[in-house]
Amino acid sequence: TYWNVKLGGETAIAQQIAQAAQLLQQGETVAFPTETVYGLGADATNTKAVEHIFTAKGRPSDNPLIVHIAGTEQLASLVQADCITPDHQKLMAAFWPGPLTIVLPVLAGSLSPLVTAGLNTVGIRIPDHPVALQLLREVNLPIAAPSANSSGRPSPTLASHVRDDLDGRIGGIVDGGATGVGVESTVVQFVDGELFVLRPGGVTAEQMQVILPDICIHTSEPTEVEASQTPRAPGMKYTHYAPKGTMYIVQGEDEQAVAARIQADIDAAKARGESTGVLTFEERVNWYRADLILACGSLAQPDTIARELYAALRTFDERGISYIAAEGVPATGIGQAIMNRLLKAAGHEQIRV
Ligand code: TXA
Ligand code: MG
């Protein structure tokens, strides 16, 4: 079933969302918009329903799902209440609803074991999107929802992306138009009073530091030794977002040198018979010659880069581009999440000039 909730009056929209909620209650999967990316939802308490998510996406079963709720009053039935500290509460007050997933000790038996992939913790968030919130309120169940893409593809920021990946494999799609942030939520976990960013995302480390001025926030990818001792998001080990073509990133202090290197590589690739692409920003589209040059947002407004990134990666595939050179961004603020996704898309192929 396809519901377009961009059009129509309040009553019509409420009816459509009620139908989508009913499908979820019956154990079906429904894709819905959030402020980050589209999610593929299912009743997190129903193992059969959650199974549908994994099969529709082709997702590895050791990768746990984020649970979406409508309000903090639902927490008590999902997590061990005495583990919620004042610092957790500060994050919730500051960033919920919003693109922050907090990993907490799960209340045994409250969710399908598939949701947590065998961990004793669960990642929870309240999405900041009117359609998602209305759906979650209506369904009145915790909803497990990974991004609504086939496993390995860029996350969907439009309902058409969901259709391209999952049409015929899911119960329904609620089309609420383009999502806002464009990259997924930030996933965090407290360990011994320090905060670990397991996945950078829509809420930046800088924003959290303002709310928790005395807390040590770990943002960098851990070294191998650290990785065995610090918490990790199981999903972070998978190749993700990768376009079908070869992609790599060129970075450096001197933007002229970066552009010169990219153009030389593109010209050589073209001579080999590749179809070539450049991923750059509005300020620099005219700097390059290639088969497809995509301006992904503006360097002056990094939020716009995050918003457009996944659609751009999909466009390279649609246009059959086999060789893609991408410019990097400074890894501060939202740039941390952007660089994390770019590096994954490029299989960590990175050149410094
Ligand atoms: O913005 C988002 O977070 C989107 C929207 C739909 O809400 N959802 C999303 O879900 O990105 P997904 O499944 O694509 O990514 C979930 C990430 C994975 O990297 C997973 O390993 C991690 O969160 N994760 C989930 N539960 C965890 C847990 N208990 N401990 C550590 N990492 C966890
Ligand atoms: Mg995902």
Side-chain angles (χ1 to χ4, degrees):
T1 322
Y2 173 82
W3 297 280
N4 186 344
V5 296
K6 301 192 296 292
L7 309 163
E10 232 172 84
T11 324
I13 292 172
Q15 269 171 8
Q16 292 175 306
I17 290 179
Q19 287 171 15
Q22 212 167 35
L23 266 198
L24 285 168
Q25 286 162 344
Q26 290 163 0
E28 300 268 355
T29 53
V30 172
F32 61 94
T34 79
E35 83 282 31
T36 57
V37 299
Y38 274 77
L40 180 61
D43 174 359
T45 66
N46 177 339
T47 292
K48 275 240 144 36
V50 177
E51 244 164 31
H52 289 316
I53 292 180
F54 283 92
T55 46
K57 283 184 53 104
R59 182 179 176 103
S61 60
D62 66 347
N63 194 3
L65 306 178
I66 292 172
V67 171
H68 298 67
I69 57 176
T72 47
E73 67 283 351
Q74 280 175 278
L75 277 179
S77 63
L78 302 174
V79 303
Q80 298 166 23
D82 55 348
C83 295
I84 299 178
T85 65
D87 289 333
H88 285 121
Q89 276 161 347
K90 282 183 196 161
L91 287 181
M92 291 172 193
F95 302 113
W96 280 3
L100 182 70
T101 295
I102 305 179
V103 174
L104 292 160
V106 67
L107 194 63
S110 66
L111 294 167
S112 163
L114 292 185
V115 170
T116 52
L119 299 174
N120 52 14
T121 54
V122 58
I124 299 188
R125 80 182 193 99
I126 303 178
D128 187 16
H129 190 288
V131 173
L133 285 172
Q134 206 175 331
L135 182 64
L136 289 167
R137 268 186 232 114
E138 184 80 30
V139 73
N140 198 26
L141 288 164
I143 295 296
S147 48
N149 50 289
S150 321
S151 210
R153 295 215 72 205
S155 296
T157 52
L158 290 169
S160 64
H161 298 156
V162 180
R163 273 187 145 164
D164 291 343
D165 280 15
L166 301 178
D167 201 20
R169 309 172 66 88
I170 59 178
I173 301 179
V174 182
D175 184 350
T179 59
V181 179
V183 294
E184 298 87 341
S185 62
T186 304
V187 180
V188 296
Q189 182 174 9
F190 278 103
V191 177
D192 297 332
E194 300 188 345
L195 188 68
F196 290 80
V197 178
L198 310 189
R199 177 178 74 179
V203 170
T204 67
E206 292 87 341
Q207 288 173 305
M208 291 188 286
Q209 194 75 78
V210 172
I211 303 301
L212 301 171
D214 303 325
I215 298 289
C216 175
I217 302 182
H218 301 265
T219 55
S220 59
E221 297 267 323
T223 64
E224 261 180 57
V225 178
E226 284 166 355
S228 60
Q229 294 157 2
T230 56
R232 305 198 69 194
M236 295 303 280
K237 69 174 179 282
Y238 294 107
T239 318
H240 244 80
Y241 323 117
K244 292 176 188 127
T246 304
M247 178 171 155
Y248 70 104
I249 298 164
V250 183
Q251 269 194 300
E253 300 289 299
D254 177 354
E255 52 189 30
Q256 302 293 335
V258 168
R261 171 61 193 257
I262 287 178
Q263 192 61 54
D265 288 352
I266 290 285
D267 290 342
K270 189 80 195 150
R272 293 196 299 272
E274 305 254 24
S275 68
T276 55
V278 178
L279 184 64
T280 180
F281 312 106
E282 277 162 24
E283 291 88 343
R284 309 186 184 187
V285 267
N286 296 322
W287 291 18
Y288 298 101
R289 279 165 287 111
D291 295 318
L292 181 63
I293 299 159
L294 291 182
C296 178
S298 159
L299 276 173
Q301 286 168 287
D303 288 357
T304 61
I305 300 173
R307 196 174 301 150
E308 294 173 29
L309 179 62
Y310 289 147
L313 294 177
R314 283 175 180 262
T315 302
F316 285 118
D317 280 355
E318 280 154 25
R319 298 280 294 271
I321 304 298
S322 62
Y323 185 92
I324 306 157
E327 288 189 42
V329 299
T332 56
I334 192 70
Q336 193 137 38
I338 295 167
M339 274 315 290
N340 173 271
R341 306 309 191 272
L342 269 178
L343 282 165
K344 291 187 127 213
H348 287 87
E349 289 296 326
Q350 193 180 16
I351 293 172
R352 297 208 154 265
V353 296

